[in-house]
Amino acid sequence: MHAVEEARQTLVHPTALVAPGAKLGQGVVVGPWCSVGPNAVLDDGVELISHVVVDGHTHLGAHSRYFPFCTVGMAPQDLKYKGEPTRCEVGARTVVREHVTIHRGTATGSGITRVGQDVLIMANAHVAHDCVLGDRVIIVNNVVMGGHVTIGNDARVMGSAAIHQFVRIGHAALVGGVAGVEADIIPYGSVLGNRAKLIGLHWIWLRRNGVQSAEIHRMRKAFFTLYPKVSGDVSFQTRLDQVRQEFSGDVRVKEILNFIDAPSHRGLVRPARGGAADQAETEGA
């Protein structure tokens, strides 16, 4: 019983600064030289390892962990920002590694930056104002994103990729390392290069997550109908209509079509020159 009570205790290191008004749940650990602002809420089991700064109206989900020299909820890098009480939220069990910066939202944007549950953000990455990251997203070292970026559940962004503001990255998409992403990536899409080009679907993720071979085969057929290996005279709209008619009953294909139909600031990432390349055996993650 004593061990259980000890595990529930909130521990604040003598060198840490926790402002009056901050709300700390049970079992929170605030390590050496951390700073927690007056409007911060730390749910049960949150751990700030050391030298972590939590500022603004920021809510950290249960059992999330923050490594040295990361900052969460600091003011956005937006010249229009005038100190409005915008917000930042990080979901449960998310891990934020060294030197990551996650900025709060802006009044001219959505007003909130949101990171989902079970996310891993590796060292030196930057999550800008008004970004929304879904659940189980992995952001690898040195990734940078502009404001208002949206990243769907289960997406993977490899090291040193740069994502333009207002870009949407769909569910379970894969962004290759050092890619420069200027436009939207369809769900399950895989992109490489600077500037990023669509090279296929994230086949490995589909296999690893239990998608049956028959469904993968139909997704492959739908994808290469939309993005043929050899470009022809048929318009993208015509190919889109063909996929709608032939694959209307396929849930994942419909997800891709709904993404394409949704409003976009940036348009869609285009396939590699000469049509999309099938990377089924070479894609990672």
Side-chain angles (χ1 to χ4, degrees):
M1 187 66 176
H2 177 72
V4 173
E5 290 177 353
E6 185 176 349
R8 287 186 164 192
Q9 286 183 349
T10 295
L11 303 176
V12 178
H13 193 274
T15 60
L17 299 175
V18 178
K23 297 179 181 178
L24 276 55
Q26 293 182 334
V28 168
V29 176
V30 181
W33 309 107
C34 293
S35 174
V36 179
N39 298 304
V41 177
L42 281 59
D43 286 347
D44 294 351
V46 168
E47 181 181 6
L48 312 182
I49 292 175
S50 74
H51 299 82
V52 176
V53 177
V54 181
D55 191 33
H57 291 77
T58 294
H59 188 166
L60 306 183
H63 303 287
S64 52
R65 301 183 71 208
Y66 304 83
F67 281 70
F69 303 103
C70 70
T71 66
V72 185
M74 299 293 285
Q77 297 175 135
D78 187 325
L79 295 177
K80 299 184 297 299
Y81 181 72
K82 304 301 179 184
E84 297 91 346
T86 54
R87 297 181 293 148
C88 179
E89 292 182 359
V90 179
R93 300 173 301 279
T94 284
V95 175
V96 178
R97 294 303 304 245
E98 297 85 350
H99 296 278
V100 167
T101 53
I102 304 174
H103 290 171
R104 60 184 181 259
T106 61
T108 55
S110 64
I112 186 169
T113 300
R114 182 179 289 113
V115 176
Q117 299 182 355
D118 301 296
V119 172
L120 171 59
I121 306 179
M122 298 187 193
N124 299 299
H126 175 60
V127 181
H129 61 85
D130 303 290
C131 288
V132 176
L133 278 59
D135 298 336
R136 301 174 302 280
V137 169
I138 296 177
I139 305 294
V140 180
N141 303 66
N142 302 305
V143 168
V144 293
M145 56 192 79
H148 314 276
V149 167
T150 301
I151 301 179
N153 295 343
D154 302 299
R156 307 287 188 260
V157 184
M158 299 295 105
S160 299
I163 306 171
H164 196 286
Q165 64 181 356
F166 291 104
V167 158
R168 299 178 300 143
I169 296 176
H171 172 214
L174 173 65
V175 178
V178 202
V181 182
E182 293 183 315
D184 298 346
I185 303 169
I186 60 173
Y188 313 103
S190 178
V191 303
L192 285 176
N194 189 5
R195 298 306 194 241
K197 299 296 182 184
L198 187 66
I199 61 166
L201 294 184
H202 194 177
W203 307 114
I204 289 178
W205 184 92
L206 292 165
R207 292 193 183 106
R208 286 178 179 173
N209 286 272
V211 181
Q212 298 300 307
S213 295
E215 184 176 1
I216 290 176
H217 177 75
R218 287 185 62 79
M219 290 181 71
R220 186 192 300 273
K221 185 177 179 182
F223 177 81
F224 285 110
T225 300
L226 275 176
Y227 302 104
K229 293 182 178 181
V230 178
S231 298
D233 297 330
V234 179
S235 69
F236 181 74
Q237 184 61 52
T238 299
R239 299 195 300 270
L240 194 60
D241 292 340
Q242 181 180 343
V243 170
R244 284 197 182 99
Q245 292 175 6
E246 188 173 349
F247 301 92
S248 59
D250 292 73
V251 173
R252 296 182 197 274
V253 174
K254 189 174 181 180
E255 183 181 357
I256 294 171
L257 295 174
N258 289 341
F259 183 94
I260 292 171
D261 290 339
S264 171
H265 289 272
R266 303 294 306 170
L268 296 173
V269 166
R270 296 188 178 188
R273 182 174 296 178
D278 191 352
Q279 299 290 318
E281 305 305 325
T282 60
E283 291 177 2

